[in-house]
Amino acid sequence: MDLAIKQLHPLFVAELRGIDLGRDIGPATQQAVEHAMNEYAVCVLPEQALDDERQIAFSRLYGPLENASAVKSQRKAGVIGQRIRHPEIFDVSNLDENGKIMSGDDARWIYRQANELWHSDSSFRQKSSTWSLLHARIVPPVGGDTYFADTRAAYDALPEAMKKRLQNLVAEHSIWHSRSLRGGYTPTDEERAARPPARHPLVRRHPGSGRNALFIASHASHIVGWPVDEGRALLGELMAFATDRRFVYVHNWRVGDLVIWDNRCTLHRASPFPSSEHMREMHRTTIIDTQGDVPAAA
Ligand code: OGA
Ligand code: MN
């Protein structure tokens, strides 16, 4: 292995070259990726010719994978099953079951556009996720960048009084909260029941680096034990702070990029592109956080 690491942002994000995920990697490479992730929190691996099987096999080296099957409308329409055969693959595309561009009022597309809000994948689950791995198969000629924010750096930069105020606060997260922010998608009772809210501390320790990180964003609906309005105001203030330009890296995709991010210490959001004219096809795998919330370091 001839690993070259180039940092892409003053605070986080590295590009890793010299790894070919098209073949089996050994333990040294596996560990090198883990070390880089612990330090940089977002890693870009360019020019990876991955199919779904390869992406799943590589992702599984780092833990069990979430299933995308909760999104019933996709399964029913046969997107997962026909176009994508593996339940471990989240379809982050504007394509229907036949590989054609979806119409702008397709419920699946409206549902997916909530990705344009800052979020941490699966924070609405009690067992949320460690890493997400997103592989670019088709990218549009303009737009469709992904924004990442470093919530360890944001936490570090908070005034001491705010750090004290956040101690022991717990937020409730729900997928239906983030969906309601955009409107346009009404869950069925079955969908609601399948995805109840989850509770997580506002500040958690990131195990790989030992640093504290804010755990917030669009699924976080309120603070447990506080009046809803007050909790939302604090969450809004923290979000504005954490997504300030100095904490943000913007990724402009090339076909073949595999970007891995740590959901425990970063936030991300999609950005618009001319989605009725151009295809964008991205496949995501998501690793389940079996360890669960780690208390903040004092
Ligand atoms: C995701 C996601 C952003 C994008 O795959 O989890 O939020 O730009 N993607 O597609
Ligand atoms: Mn996401």
Side-chain angles (χ1 to χ4, degrees):
M1 177 190 44
D2 216 355
L3 179 62
I5 299 184
K6 182 171 119 194
Q7 192 162 345
L8 299 180
H9 181 281
L11 296 170
F12 69 136
V13 192
E15 181 180 84
L16 310 187
R17 287 193 182 265
I19 297 175
D20 178 6
L21 300 178
R23 31 176 102 203
D24 290 340
I25 58 164
T29 304
Q30 184 184 330
Q31 272 182 22
V33 172
E34 188 152 357
H35 283 143
M37 282 298 294
N38 285 340
E39 181 166 356
Y40 298 103
V42 178
C43 288
V44 179
L45 287 74
E47 293 171 22
Q48 300 297 334
L50 288 175
D51 56 18
D52 289 340
E53 289 77 9
R54 280 270 155 202
Q55 181 171 346
I56 289 167
F58 171 67
S59 305
R60 278 216 175 105
L61 295 174
Y62 299 97
L65 302 186
E66 238 178 59
N67 268 341
S69 56
V71 182
K72 293 266 184 328
S73 59
Q74 285 186 23
R75 185 162 291 285
K76 247 186 248 152
V79 179
I80 295 174
Q82 285 172 34
R83 195 164 64 75
I84 295 179
R85 294 213 311 282
H86 301 275
E88 297 88 352
I89 297 287
F90 286 71
D91 184 21
V92 187
S93 310
N94 62 334
L95 306 179
D96 68 12
E97 54 279 22
N98 303 310
K100 295 272 187 318
I101 291 178
M102 290 196 283
S103 87
D105 56 9
D106 190 308
R108 293 167 289 176
W109 177 238
I110 290 167
Y111 180 91
R112 247 170 258 176
Q113 276 176 302
N115 274 349
E116 290 175 16
L117 301 170
W118 285 105
H119 64 280
S120 166
D121 291 334
S122 307
S123 75
F124 53 85
R125 295 182 191 277
Q126 204 55 55
K127 278 213 178 340
S128 51
S129 71
T130 57
W131 301 353
S132 291
L133 303 89
L134 189 61
H135 187 239
R137 305 289 176 88
I138 302 174
V139 303
V142 286
D145 294 346
T146 307
Y147 289 57
F148 293 93
D150 180 343
T151 59
R152 296 180 299 191
Y155 179 81
D156 289 345
L158 285 174
E160 285 307 314
M162 181 60 101
K163 288 182 185 165
K164 282 225 173 64
R165 204 172 155 212
L166 301 184
Q167 268 175 15
N168 306 319
L169 295 185
V170 172
E172 185 163 300
H173 297 241
S174 165
I175 180 95
W176 309 119
H177 176 67
S178 57
R179 263 53 195 172
S180 74
L181 292 175
R182 296 271 311 202
Y185 188 87
T186 311
T188 62
D189 290 346
E190 194 192 354
E191 281 178 318
R192 272 191 186 281
R195 303 214 265 173
R199 292 178 171 191
H200 302 286
L202 265 190
V203 183
R204 308 185 306 174
R205 191 161 53 85
H206 175 245
S209 62
R211 296 172 64 189
N212 285 346
L214 287 172
F215 197 55
I216 47 179
S218 66
H219 304 313
S221 71
H222 61 276
I223 293 178
V224 176
W226 280 30
V228 169
D229 288 0
E230 259 176 63
R232 285 206 180 143
L234 176 63
L235 290 167
E237 186 184 337
L238 291 172
M239 279 306 295
F241 184 84
T243 58
D244 184 80
R245 277 191 65 110
R246 71 193 137 131
F247 304 122
V248 173
Y249 162 78
V250 182
H251 189 66
N252 180 235
W253 293 89
R254 301 148 297 192
V255 169
D257 283 349
L258 178 75
V259 177
I260 314 174
W261 63 84
D262 193 323
N263 288 298
R264 297 167 297 185
C265 60
T266 61
L267 304 175
H268 62 282
R269 70 172 180 89
S271 64
F273 67 99
S275 57
S276 56
E277 285 162 59
H278 297 289
M279 298 194 210
R280 184 175 190 263
E281 179 170 20
M282 324 277 279
H283 289 201
R284 192 184 95 205
T285 39
T286 310
I287 300 171
I288 298 171
D289 185 358
T290 52
Q291 184 176 7
D293 297 330
V294 179

